[in-house]
Amino acid sequence: MPDIESLLKEKRVFKPSPEFSRQANWNRKTVAEYRKLGSTNPTRFWAKMAKEHVSWFTPWKKVLDWKPPFAKWFVGAKLNVSYNCLDRHLEGENAWRRNKAAIIWEGEPGDSRVITYAQLHREVCKFANVLKGLGVKKGDRVALYMPMIPELAVAMLACTRIGAPHSIVFGGFSADSLRDRINDAGAVVVITADGGYRRGSSFALKPMVDKAVEGADCVEHVVVVKRTGETTGMMSPRDVWWHDLMANASPKCPAAKLDAEHPLFILYTSGTTGKPKGILHTTGGYLVHVATTAKAIFDLKDEDVFWCSADIGWITGHSYVIYGPLANGATTVMYEGVPTHPGPDRWWSIIERWGVSVFYTAPTAIRTFIRLGDQHPKKHDLSSLRLLGTVGEPINPEAWIWYHRVIGGRKCPIVDTWWQTETGGIMITPLPGAVATKPGSATLAFPGIDAEVLSEEGDPTKPPGGGFLAIRKPWPGMLRGIWGDNQRYAETYWSKWKNIYFAGDGAHREKDGYFWIMGRVDDVMNISGHRIGTMEVESALVSHQLVAEAAVVGRPDEITGTAIVAFVTVRVGTKTDVDLVDTLRNHVTKEIGAIAKPKEIRFTDALPKTRSGKIMRRLLRDIASGKDTVGDTTTLEDYSVLAALRESDDG
Ligand code: PRX
């Protein structure tokens, strides 16, 4: 991760071009007006956005009901997300969108499907009826564990159509992680596929579901999409094929009129304890937030082809592959596989082939492409691009400039968007027709969002200065809680200061008010833009019989932002060789998933602890990142541990 010194040396400023501003959905004047309204009367601002960007069956009685830390938005209103993403694009003056591409999908092997709004609507209605047929009722949870295929979008929208909150589990998570999430949410149905394609070959998903469901009694049915055609054991009557159920399903299914605060989905994310948190989002506020931000920040027009490269298993995929773009009647691209198959130019060929005009990706991907060389993007005509975006971690200025120059052809604005699973939608971001950008800065808060950098005591930092990133007023897309754990919700996000949301990030603010996000200040690591808790990896490691104790820290990594380093003490008599390193790395993959696999494992006889027995992670972080001098060691219990740790380097 770039440190603040190097970030702040960055003085380049990129003003929006007059051509871009002229055609922007939100130009300077609009933005100035909205900023004013958003700061003087945020609820009025959001009510205005709600009317403009979302269709309601019944209007609200009250915009916001705020009983800290619990917020209700658009109280009394009724709506449906799938209606907003589909039906309203097929009716009245929008009826021409019937035959517009809603989803352009490309599989890794090269197969592709273009699904129009009318077709998507039909599929979603059919699958909503399938879910009803399986006994799924309003309020029941449905778990989705799928590759990036159109059926995933269909399943999500079908859930929203009948008011069954979905819980999507990223396909890279292990069976154990899946089981924990299914059980925590109490899912009655799991939707999966036989497998998917990655890195040129197929991988199986269904066996993981079988393993997960073995210990999940809440599950009544498993619906399986045939994607790869590999042999798949089906357990009757629990398991059913998607295509069999769809063959006889009726394409007529009215959208349920749901309360604005009806649960829309749960998405699990890592925290500072070993147990992931089920972040709960509800219907009205979330949709207003993502529909508005997608329109304003990505400047979505009917002619655009929008591609957000995130997997739908993460919040970015929920909000900006599916709900934000579809609520705007836009064309959204979905790609199944890895960026480098069959060659390092796959992504650029997708942009050229489909004429992608707005592209949203993560800094870690950009850094990977920089390393692969300019020749790959240069082979392709990327002139269809008009706007670029990044998300997930701070972007280093070098990567920003490369993205601007090589991918954007020096003409595309870049929106560096800061937000979180918990915030639902984008919070700090440039508006491409109005805000000058600086490489490495997410610039300013979105109108209606009260972001600040606060001191430990909760006082605003006087710019220029650093502190903790906080949101001082509720916003529509905010999480409504942690599934089944209101206390943890209150403690995690609302206890640092009174009635103020603590994001868990450090940030720096300049005199001009620009935000420079510094990354996590808690025990959560950001690996390739994905959150992994140090405790989660530690619990996975100590669950191995040969491990006595483990401490996990992140160290800066050129490509992934942060790399996981584990310090491990083993049971007496255990041979600490490369085989054990492999064994433990694979063990973590099995327990959590490949994203949590430590890059480095160092064996040590003892871990540095304070006299009260707390592991001094700060010291370990310094050691892991190869710093010569480590920070304050006055509370260290045993100094000899430090010297031994430094020598553990070759472990
Ligand atoms: O540390 C911040 C970082 O990603 C965290 C949120 O992770 P997650 O909930 O997985 O959502 C990622 C995608 C929205 C934040 O606490 N982060 C996200 N975007 C940025 C960022 N850090 C710096 N700049 C960003 N643009």
Side-chain angles (χ1 to χ4, degrees):
M1 198 169 34
D3 64 42
I4 194 72
E5 298 298 321
S6 65
L7 272 178
L8 293 181
K9 276 198 210 111
E10 181 55 54
K11 293 284 180 244
R12 281 170 283 196
V13 180
F14 294 79
K15 291 200 179 117
S17 71
E19 301 81 64
F20 195 98
S21 298
R22 221 173 290 129
Q23 61 78 59
N25 288 341
W26 285 20
N27 58 25
R28 267 200 194 84
K29 204 165 141 267
T30 327
V31 172
E33 192 186 302
Y34 286 170
R35 279 205 200 292
K36 204 164 147 217
L37 181 60
S39 63
T40 52
N41 197 337
T43 47
R44 191 178 300 161
F45 167 76
W46 285 114
K48 185 176 161 66
M49 295 302 112
K51 277 189 200 140
E52 232 167 80
H53 301 291
V54 170
S55 304
W56 306 80
F57 297 135
T58 313
W60 52 89
K61 294 198 179 73
K62 198 174 170 196
V63 182
L64 171 66
D65 174 26
W66 177 224
K67 293 197 180 71
F70 299 98
K72 288 184 182 151
W73 281 87
F74 310 110
V75 183
K78 297 229 185 286
L79 77 158
N80 184 285
V81 167
S82 104
Y83 177 88
N84 272 275
C85 290
L86 301 167
D87 307 52
R88 65 169 174 161
H89 305 310
L90 313 176
E91 303 163 349
E93 60 179 24
N94 291 330
W96 67 270
R97 287 202 188 113
R98 293 188 73 82
N99 301 320
K100 172 179 173 170
I103 296 177
I104 294 176
W105 172 81
E106 209 173 275
E108 197 190 67
D111 45 344
S112 65
R113 282 165 70 185
V114 177
I115 303 167
T116 66
Y117 271 95
Q119 287 172 321
L120 187 59
H121 176 259
R122 192 181 160 83
E123 294 297 298
V124 167
C125 288
K126 283 171 71 179
F127 196 66
N129 283 324
V130 164
L131 289 174
K132 284 186 188 171
L134 293 175
V136 178
K137 288 184 290 297
K138 182 172 140 184
D140 286 347
R141 278 80 58 208
V142 176
L144 276 53
Y145 184 68
M146 300 171 79
M148 283 282 281
I149 52 176
E151 286 79 0
L152 172 52
V154 171
M156 291 166 82
L157 290 160
C159 285
T160 71
R161 199 161 186 89
I162 62 170
H166 56 68
S167 164
I168 307 185
V169 180
F170 173 61
F173 277 116
S174 67
D176 290 349
S177 297
L178 175 62
R179 181 189 307 119
D180 291 346
R181 286 158 174 76
I182 290 174
N183 277 329
D184 189 79
V188 293
V189 167
V190 181
I191 303 166
T192 188
D194 49 359
Y197 293 95
R198 256 187 105 70
R199 273 179 240 290
S201 49
S202 68
F203 63 90
L205 274 180
K206 176 65 168 40
M208 311 278 263
V209 175
D210 289 338
K211 218 174 136 212
V213 172
E214 251 172 49
D217 296 337
C218 48
V219 176
E220 288 160 24
H221 288 287
V222 176
V223 181
V224 189
V225 178
K226 190 170 258 181
R227 165 69 182 131
T228 59
E230 53 192 277
T231 331
T232 304
M234 298 289 277
M235 219 174 87
S236 180
R238 187 195 71 185
D239 301 351
V240 267
W241 286 108
W242 172 288
H243 57 262
D244 286 343
L245 297 169
M246 287 292 268
N248 305 313
S250 154
K252 286 202 170 53
C253 177
K257 296 189 165 74
L258 301 171
D259 194 275
E261 282 299 331
H262 187 74
L264 179 65
F265 64 82
I266 304 166
L267 181 59
Y268 287 84
T269 188
S270 296
T272 49
T273 71
K275 188 174 181 281
K277 308 175 275 198
I279 303 300
L280 173 67
H281 284 287
T282 58
T283 305
Y286 173 83
L287 190 65
V288 169
H289 193 157
V290 299
T292 306
T293 46
K295 174 106 187 182
I297 300 162
F298 300 122
D299 196 41
L300 291 181
K301 309 273 182 4
D302 264 312
E303 304 75 29
D304 277 315
V305 176
F306 177 67
W307 183 21
C308 163
S309 69
D311 191 287
I312 290 176
W314 309 109
I315 190 68
T316 310
H318 284 59
S319 300
Y320 299 109
V321 177
I322 301 296
Y323 295 123
L326 296 182
N328 280 289
T331 297
T332 187
V333 175
M334 254 177 98
Y335 168 58
E336 179 188 32
V338 299
T340 47
H341 183 83
D345 63 336
R346 178 62 181 265
W347 275 15
W348 319 123
S349 83
I350 291 175
I351 291 178
E352 178 174 19
R353 202 154 351 99
W354 299 106
V356 172
S357 54
V358 182
F359 180 53
Y360 188 37
T361 193
T364 183
I366 298 169
R367 290 191 297 267
T368 304
F369 286 119
I370 295 177
R371 202 181 50 170
L372 292 169
D374 294 11
Q375 66 276 25
H376 305 295
K378 284 200 169 134
K379 268 199 296 230
H380 295 276
D381 177 5
L382 304 180
S383 59
S384 57
L385 288 171
R386 63 181 197 90
L387 174 59
L388 301 173
T390 69
V391 61
E393 55 179 314
I395 183 165
N396 46 314
E398 301 69 39
W400 195 103
I401 296 290
W402 183 88
Y403 196 33
H404 171 74
R405 185 172 53 82
V406 180
I407 307 305
R410 293 195 162 88
K411 70 177 198 316
C412 302
I414 297 180
V415 288
D416 172 353
T417 61
W418 177 87
W419 58 295
Q420 308 176 295
T421 306
E422 291 87 344
T423 69
I426 296 170
M427 304 288 278
I428 301 180
T429 177
L431 287 150
V435 175
T437 54
K438 298 182 181 185
S441 170
T443 75
L444 302 167
F446 191 77
I449 301 293
D450 185 9
E452 245 314 342
V453 176
L454 302 181
S455 68
E456 187 72 47
E457 293 71 39
D459 303 318
T461 308
K462 229 178 98 211
F468 303 99
L469 188 56
I471 314 292
R472 295 188 296 188
K473 288 196 192 77
W475 66 99
M478 68 186 263
L479 75 164
R480 297 302 195 265
I482 294 175
W483 186 257
D485 200 343
N486 278 346
Q487 196 187 337
R488 188 174 178 197
Y489 165 70
E491 273 164 18
T492 311
Y493 304 107
W494 303 95
S495 66
K496 196 170 174 73
W497 312 287
K498 192 164 189 284
N499 303 346
I500 293 177
Y501 174 86
F502 171 48
D505 280 318
H508 187 96
R509 222 169 168 193
E510 271 187 275
K511 277 216 175 81
D512 57 8
Y514 274 35
F515 288 89
W516 299 74
I517 315 292
M518 305 306 307
R520 305 292 305 188
V521 293
D522 52 13
D523 286 328
V524 174
M525 300 169 288
N526 188 328
I527 316 293
S528 299
H530 301 306
R531 271 157 65 174
I532 308 288
T534 50
M535 278 281 286
E536 259 175 292
V537 185
E538 285 167 9
S539 327
L541 284 166
V542 295
S543 74
H544 193 278
Q545 55 186 19
L546 297 176
V547 174
E549 209 175 14
V552 166
V553 296
R555 74 156 155 74
D557 183 274
E558 217 174 289
I559 301 294
T560 57
T562 303
I564 301 178
V565 181
F567 293 86
V568 172
T569 60
V570 290
R571 302 226 179 264
V572 186
T574 308
K575 209 165 131 216
T576 53
D577 52 11
V578 282
D579 287 346
L580 185 60
V581 170
D582 281 347
T583 308
L584 294 181
R585 293 179 77 223
N586 293 335
H587 180 69
V588 175
T589 305
K590 187 186 137 284
E591 291 289 310
I592 309 175
I595 35 167
K597 193 184 210 171
K599 181 144 188 182
E600 221 183 285
I601 290 188
R602 296 194 188 184
F603 295 110
T604 169
D605 291 333
L607 292 168
K609 291 185 184 162
T610 61
R611 268 158 236 142
S612 59
K614 241 180 105 182
I615 292 175
M616 295 178 76
R617 283 219 181 68
R618 187 175 43 77
L619 283 188
L620 292 175
R621 264 196 292 272
D622 288 349
I623 291 165
S625 49
K627 288 198 181 140
D628 289 338
T629 48
V630 296
D632 184 12
T633 54
T634 43
T635 51
L636 187 64
E637 185 217 18
D638 176 2
Y639 285 91
S640 66
V641 170
L642 207 59
L645 276 170
R646 288 226 181 83
E647 285 153 22
S648 68
D649 202 346
D650 51 4

